[in-house]
């Protein structure tokens, strides 16, 4: 792995391009939860990978096991600054994703999604390469249509505490489409639904990591609201497979595509499963529901099934077992 601490940007020489045998794939946010799994999969497939990350919510430890791979290059950079490098393909994942993380500095979140997306789109335009945007089910807000198909325009509060993320991601989709229409850039939009698995940060505040960490530590599981709100949880390996398939899809597939697991659970059911699987004696406590918290969420994945021949394979129970093992090892110092 080559590591660069350049805060501005790294410029790659043209003759490097001639020497290379595999594609150079840029993954912004590559040191994060999803990004690190994506970098790993792309490297395994023989690609060279450039991971650009400002390490705000990502961690170097997420990619440390890839250090020996000469095909990985890590660039410490904020995507709000222009990105200049020689690439063949771009996955844009840079953005905080957990509600507590993205609400710490909402202006930074919004700007990362708007200015950051603009910068990587500009790079895609200059090099004539494909670019995939990690969009989100949050573009549907607190949905009034259930399950959510890609044709639904959503129900988003534009000035609430979640708006920096929801509207940032919606604006990013707009920018992607405008770059496609104005400049012919080949775009892919993945609308990712709640995804979980190893390498989530123990303290990132999302429900799966919170519940597992609380259960393993014997602390009360914190349900926000009455726990009857629903989510549909996708295991990370399934999701990353969907991203790679979407990137490889024909150029005509430039519409947003939902990627998520359509099996829907209440938050109460999730808490009960985590308690059972960890064998924890933790009790459940109820905290107030955060503002604008969506009441229900389940993807309609017909489009991904049809166009990508993709559907998740990991049942929640099995995925939770893998994730519990990860956190168990992390706390015992073995991971
Ligand atoms: P994460 O917080 O673990 O990863 C985000 C990564 O982006 C981190 O490594 C962070 O340091 C980096 N980053 C943030 N701002 C940056 C900036 N300005 N410049 C450079 N790097 C920056 O979150 P994740 O769960 O891995 O999510 C990855 C992407 O997928 C995000 O764009 C998120 O919106 C999207 N997504 C994730 C989920 C999910 O359930 N995990 C659901 C929907 C969408
Ligand atoms: N949640 C919860 N307890 C927690 C963390 C989250 O009950 O400790 C709830 C949260 O209010 C939401 C659901 O779980 O209804 C999913 O939250 P998460 O932050 O994981 O993702 P998002 O709200 O973005 O779907």
């Amino acid at each position: 792995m080559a590591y660069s601490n350049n805060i501005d940007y790294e410029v790659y020489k043209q003759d490097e391009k001639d020497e290379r045998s595999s594609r150079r794939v840029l993954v912004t946010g590559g040191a994060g939860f999803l990004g690190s799994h994506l970098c790993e999969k792309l490297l395994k497939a023989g690609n060279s990978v450039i991971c650009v990350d400002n390490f705000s919510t990502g961690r170097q430890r997420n990619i440390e096991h890839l250090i020996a791979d000469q095909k990985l290059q890590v660039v410490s950079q904020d995507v709000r600054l222009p990105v200049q490098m020689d690439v063949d393909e771009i996955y844009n994942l840079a953005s905080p994703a957990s509600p507590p993380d993205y609400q710490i500095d909402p202006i930074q979140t919004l700007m990362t999604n708007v200015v950051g997306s603009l910068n990587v789109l500009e790079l895609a335009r200059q090099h004539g390469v494909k670019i995939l945007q990690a969009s989100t089910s949050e573009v549907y807000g607190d949905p009034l249509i259930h399950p959510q198909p890609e044709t639904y325009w959503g129900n988003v509060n534009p000035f609430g505490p979640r708006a920096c993320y929801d509207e940032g991601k919606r604006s990013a989709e707009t920018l992607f489409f405008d770059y496609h229409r104005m400049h012919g850039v080949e775009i892919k939009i993945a609308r990712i639904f709640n995804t979980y698995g190893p390498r989530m940060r123990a303290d990132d505040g999302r429900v799966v990591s919170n519940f597992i960490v609380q259960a393993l530590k014997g602390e009360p599981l914190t349900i926000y609201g009455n726990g009857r709100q629903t989510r549909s949880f996708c295991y990370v390996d399934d999701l990353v497979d969907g991203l790679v398939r979407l990137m490889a899809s024909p150029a005509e597939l430039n519409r947003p595509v939902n990627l998520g697991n359509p099996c829907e659970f209440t938050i109460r059911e999730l808490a009960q499963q985590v308690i059972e699987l960890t064998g924890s004696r933790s009790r459940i406590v109820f905290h107030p529901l955060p503002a604008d918290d969506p009441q229900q969420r389940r993807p309609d994945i017909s489009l991904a099934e049809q166009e990508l021949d993709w559907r998740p394979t990991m049942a929640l129970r099995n995925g939770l077992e893998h994730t519990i093992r990860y956190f168990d090892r992390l706390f015992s110092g073995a991971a």
Side-chain angles (χ1 to χ4, degrees):
M1 178 182 85
Y3 187 81
S4 154
N5 247 328
N6 276 7
I7 295 300
D8 284 333
Y9 49 76
E10 183 99 323
V11 182
Y12 294 91
K13 298 187 200 84
Q14 189 59 39
D15 55 359
E16 281 181 13
K17 183 176 185 177
D18 305 331
E19 282 168 19
R20 72 180 190 243
S21 51
S22 60
R23 281 178 314 167
R24 285 179 78 122
V25 186
L26 167 61
V27 180
T28 74
F33 160 51
L34 293 183
S36 62
H37 286 274
L38 178 60
C39 288
E40 192 171 333
K41 189 174 174 86
L42 292 168
L43 286 167
K44 272 194 191 139
N47 299 286
S48 295
V49 173
I50 308 163
C51 159
V52 167
D53 204 295
N54 71 353
F55 295 92
S56 52
T57 59
R59 295 290 175 264
Q60 197 169 333
R61 58 165 303 161
N62 287 344
I63 44 174
E64 240 155 31
H65 62 295
L66 305 172
I67 272 175
D69 199 323
Q70 294 299 314
K71 287 185 160 181
L72 176 67
Q73 188 144 22
V74 180
V75 180
S76 177
Q77 193 204 311
D78 196 302
V79 293
R80 288 172 297 163
L81 295 170
V83 184
Q84 296 187 0
M85 52 186 58
D86 186 18
V87 290
D88 300 314
E89 215 168 68
I90 305 170
Y91 288 85
N92 186 35
L93 274 66
S95 167
S98 142
D101 280 346
Y102 68 63
Q103 289 173 28
I104 289 172
D105 186 341
I107 299 172
Q108 179 166 331
T109 299
L110 184 64
M111 289 302 134
T112 292
N113 280 294
V114 177
V115 179
S117 295
L118 184 71
N119 285 333
V120 285
L121 280 163
E122 213 20 61
L123 184 68
R125 184 185 69 77
Q126 284 161 11
H127 290 265
V129 300
K130 254 193 291 203
I131 178 165
L132 181 146
Q133 166 65 355
S135 190
T136 168
S137 53
E138 287 280 332
V139 301
Y140 304 120
D142 189 3
L144 305 176
I145 299 227
H146 193 72
Q148 293 81 55
E150 291 86 350
T151 46
Y152 178 45
W153 289 356
N155 176 40
V156 173
N157 175 352
F159 53 83
R162 298 174 84 100
C164 58
Y165 183 72
D166 299 11
E167 297 292 16
K169 291 287 185 184
R170 287 170 67 95
S171 304
E173 286 197 8
T174 309
L175 274 172
F176 268 68
F177 274 90
D178 288 337
Y179 262 75
H180 173 65
R181 284 185 287 249
M182 280 189 71
H183 302 301
V185 171
E186 188 179 336
I187 58 164
K188 304 286 174 193
I189 312 269
R191 288 189 178 153
I192 304 169
F193 284 63
N194 298 64
T195 302
Y196 69 99
R199 293 190 215 138
M200 295 183 87
R201 276 191 358 259
D203 64 350
D204 97 347
R206 283 179 274 194
V207 69
V208 174
S209 43
N210 270 11
F211 283 179
I212 291 177
V213 170
Q214 290 161 344
L216 290 176
K217 292 188 168 172
E219 294 166 0
L221 271 64
T222 51
I223 288 185
Y224 303 160
N226 59 20
R228 291 201 191 94
Q229 71 271 35
T230 66
R231 294 294 187 273
S232 307
F233 298 101
C234 187
Y235 190 67
V236 61
D237 290 353
D238 281 330
L239 191 279
V240 167
D241 177 46
L243 292 179
V244 171
R245 282 175 190 244
L246 179 58
M247 183 63 111
S249 65
E252 302 74 57
L253 184 59
N254 54 26
R255 291 173 280 163
V257 178
N258 287 340
L259 293 178
N261 192 320
C263 296
E264 185 179 3
F265 294 87
T266 65
I267 296 304
R268 228 179 242 255
E269 287 168 336
L270 177 72
Q272 277 150 3
Q273 277 215 35
V274 169
I275 288 175
E276 185 201 321
L277 291 172
T278 51
S280 174
R281 298 166 63 101
S282 291
R283 61 199 176 88
I284 289 175
V285 294
F286 292 88
H287 288 194
L289 189 69
D292 299 336
D293 198 286
Q295 277 307 297
Q296 52 181 2
R297 183 181 291 158
R298 169 154 58 106
D300 176 337
I301 60 163
S302 326
L303 185 62
E305 286 182 317
Q306 248 170 50
E307 298 292 332
L308 310 178
D309 191 23
W310 177 86
R311 69 200 56 78
T313 56
M314 181 74 81
L316 180 62
R317 196 178 179 80
N318 298 341
L320 285 177
E321 282 169 350
H322 286 297
T323 314
I324 290 166
R325 261 199 302 281
Y326 166 78
F327 279 112
D328 216 6
R329 283 162 52 84
L330 186 73
F331 295 143
S332 66

